[in-house]
Amino acid sequence: MKAGIVGLPNVGKSTLFNCLSNAKAQSANFPFCTIEPNIGVVNVPDPRLEKLEELVKPERVQPATVDIVDIAGLVKGASKGEGLGNQFLGNIRECNAIIHVLRCFDNDNIVHVDGNVNPVRDKETIDIELQLKDLDTVEKRLEKVKRAAKTGNKEAQVEEALLNRLRDNLLQAKSARTVEPKNADEEVLLESFQLITTKPVLYVCNVDEGSAVNGNKYVDQIRELVKEENAEVIVLAVGTEADITELETYEERKMFLEDLGLQEPGASVLIRAAYKLLNQQTYFTAGVKEVRAWTINIGDTAPQAAGVIHTDFEKGFIRAEVIAYDDYVAFGTEAKVKEAGKLRVEGKEYIVKDGDVMHFRFNV
């Protein structure tokens, strides 16, 4: 599962990517600094993992990870191929969620591709290009399905009706995610279309250092604009975050954050938000050899969770021994949890909860 960083050229995407992944993608004060997408595997910050490490004292610790993709800047006309648009839009299509970076700071020394700072206009520019690309996809598909629908093919008629609803919304400059599938068949169809604007989105307002805690007028404009989108807005001073990652010790970074009035780096907040955006959650395995965070989809069953460790675990699943994270911390050891009767045995239908500590019994 990958989250792609998008936005206009020169709004701080590659600097943000570097903060998140320490991959040192090229970033500079000119448009199209990034051409090929950079991919970083980023650890998901999780205080629960640190607590389990403290209690179990394992030989090694393995955090959950999320893939972040730094995609080159889109420009007006990208849907028609402007500014290598087709290549960039293809890169976005391959991602599962979108992190949309908006420039929300004034600085005459950093050029803006449109000449002045206006995050509302910038957001609309990107949205329109993504919507136009989806409109093109929808109209091409409609042409193919119309003929079959006219012959009385029921499946084609269902597809045509959904495509027409999508087309109507896109023509009104509304993203495809605003079209709710009416049933499971439409849900499957919608996913098969692979439309860019069905992907969940997270907005990152890139602000100056002084606005890192409370935001500014630009952030207020974006929050107002996205009210109906059911999307999260995160405020991040990307340049400042880059400075924090350059500091060598934990103490130095902590002092820097305290001076800014921040509890933790904004990059950590963003990584967790991206993880959630991808509909993912964590369960843990805890033993003296390893304490590990495993990534699963929200709603996965115990056998599916076991399959993340090894496919044989899912095939031969017998049962799961489950301890709630809070119980593990309260009693301190697995043995004491068992003594207190807090270890549960769950079967194939169990829906794993975020933070469960699990052992699997299986037979192959």
Side-chain angles (χ1 to χ4, degrees), residues 226-247:
V226 306
K227 265 184 182 176
E228 295 178 8
E229 286 190 38
N230 194 29
E232 189 174 352
V233 176
I234 287 179
V235 178
L236 209 64
V238 175
T240 304
E241 293 285 331
D243 293 339
I244 292 171
T245 60
E246 295 297 325
L247 297 173

Side-chain angles (χ1 to χ4, degrees), residues 1-4 96-100 199-203 230-232 270-280 298:
M1 300 287 282
K2 296 184 288 190
N96 306 93
I98 294 170
I99 298 170
H100 187 162
K199 299 179 190 299
V201 64
L202 170 72
Y203 295 100
N230 194 29
E232 189 174 352
L270 174 57
I271 293 165
R272 285 198 297 272
Y275 193 66
K276 186 179 172 185
L277 192 70
L278 289 163
N279 196 43
Q280 306 207 297
I298 293 170

Side-chain angles (χ1 to χ4, degrees), residues 272-303:
R272 285 198 297 272
Y275 193 66
K276 186 179 172 185
L277 192 70
L278 289 163
N279 196 43
Q280 306 207 297
Q281 66 179 14
T282 301
Y283 77 87
F284 302 102
T285 51
V288 290
K289 289 282 184 188
E290 181 183 70
V291 166
R292 181 162 182 164
W294 298 90
T295 300
I296 58 170
N297 293 320
I298 293 170
D300 274 359
T301 60

Side-chain angles (χ1 to χ4, degrees), residues 342-355:
K342 293 290 186 179
L343 183 143
R344 308 190 314 275
V345 176
E346 302 286 0
K348 291 182 178 180
E349 304 302 315
Y350 177 67
I351 304 296
V352 179
K353 294 179 177 64
D354 186 50

